[in-house]
Amino acid sequence: MSKSLIEIKNLKKEYMNGDTKISVLNNVNLNIISGKLVALVGPSGSGKSTLLHLLALLDKPTSGSIKSFGVAVEKLNDESKNKIVRENISIIFQNNNLLSDFTALENVAIPLIIRDQNYKSSIKKASEILGKVNLNHRLEHMPSDLSGGEQQRVAIARAIASDTKIILADEPTGNLDNKTSKEV
C-alpha cells in the first residue's frame, strides 16, 4: 500500500507588494506518495519555487493545510518542523546553497554529521556519492573554486547522501550540460 508523504489541501500563498496583493498559489491540492516521482512544470514566475519552499517547510502558506508525514504542519513549533526536515527532506536549490567555508566533501557530509552519524562513515559516504557525480577529483575544493555545474553536482550529491524520504529539487540540472545532466 502506498504511503502519503506530503498532502496539501486548498493551499494558498499571497504576498503584499505595497498595497497590492499578489496571489502566487490559489487552491492547490496535491498528495505526494512514497516511491513516486512528481514533476512541477510551468513558466517562470508560476509559483513552482514557492510551492517547493512550502513543501520544504521553509515558508508558511497564507491559508490551507500541509500534512508532512501524517502531521499537520501548522500545529508544529519550529523545532518540530526542523526535525521533520532534517530527518526526511533534502532540498536542491536553484542556487545550490553550498556553505562557502567548507569543501565539496564537507558540504556533502554535513547533513549526515548533523544527524549524529559517525564522522568517518559520513566522510566516506560523501566521497562515494561525489564520485558517482564525477567529482572525486574535486573533493577538497571550496565552492568558489568549482564551476557552476560542479557546485550544482555537489548540491545534488548532498541531497542523495542524506538518504531522506523526499528530495525536493528546484531545477537541479539547470546549470548542467545535457551529457552531465543525463549522467546525474
Side-chain angles (χ1 to χ4, degrees):
M1 183 171 185
S2 297
K3 184 177 179 185
S4 180
L5 299 177
I6 296 179
E7 183 179 354
I8 59 176
K9 289 187 178 177
N10 303 318
L11 198 67
K12 184 177 195 174
K13 183 64 180 177
E14 298 174 336
Y15 296 98
M16 291 302 293
N17 184 7
D19 292 336
T20 306
K21 186 185 304 183
I22 300 169
S23 182
V24 180
L25 301 172
N26 192 22
N27 198 32
V28 176
N29 295 283
L30 178 66
N31 192 13
I32 299 175
I33 304 293
S34 179
K36 299 292 182 184
L37 176 67
V38 177
L40 299 173
V41 294
S44 179
S46 63
K48 299 180 302 291
S49 294
T50 299
L51 180 58
L52 287 177
H53 280 89
L54 290 167
L55 296 177
L57 310 183
L58 299 174
D59 198 2
K60 295 178 181 179
T62 304
S63 64
S65 67
I66 301 174
K67 276 190 180 177
S68 192
F69 304 93
V71 177
V73 173
E74 58 271 7
K75 297 178 182 177
L76 299 178
N77 61 28
D78 287 343
E79 184 179 330
S80 297
K81 286 180 193 177
N82 289 339
K83 183 177 183 198
I84 287 174
V85 173
R86 185 174 56 249
E87 294 176 358
N88 298 295
I89 301 172
S90 293
I91 308 160
I92 305 170
F93 295 96
Q94 278 183 10
N95 63 351
N96 68 60
N97 280 12
L98 298 180
L99 300 170
S100 61
D101 293 338
F102 294 90
T103 66
L105 182 63
E106 292 165 334
N107 264 284
V108 175
I110 283 172
L112 304 174
I113 295 166
I114 287 172
R115 286 193 258 147
D116 292 327
Q117 293 186 15
N118 175 279
Y119 179 82
K120 282 186 178 182
S121 65
S122 296
I123 293 294
K124 181 180 181 204
K125 183 175 184 178
S127 178
E128 289 170 0
I129 302 283
L130 282 164
K132 290 181 180 182
V133 295
N134 297 319
L135 287 176
N136 41 352
H137 63 294
R138 304 291 252 161
L139 300 179
E140 298 304 321
H141 286 75
M142 305 302 275
S144 61
D145 297 326
L146 300 173
S147 71
E150 288 171 331
Q151 290 177 24
Q152 197 63 23
R153 284 186 280 158
V154 172
I156 292 167
R158 179 178 55 198
I160 293 168
S162 296
D163 239 359
T164 54
K165 293 179 176 99
I166 294 177
I167 296 176
L168 298 173
D170 195 354
E171 298 186 30
T173 58
N175 288 327
L176 304 180
D177 60 83
N178 285 337
K179 180 180 180 279
T180 305
S181 181
K182 287 178 185 174
E183 288 173 357
V184 168

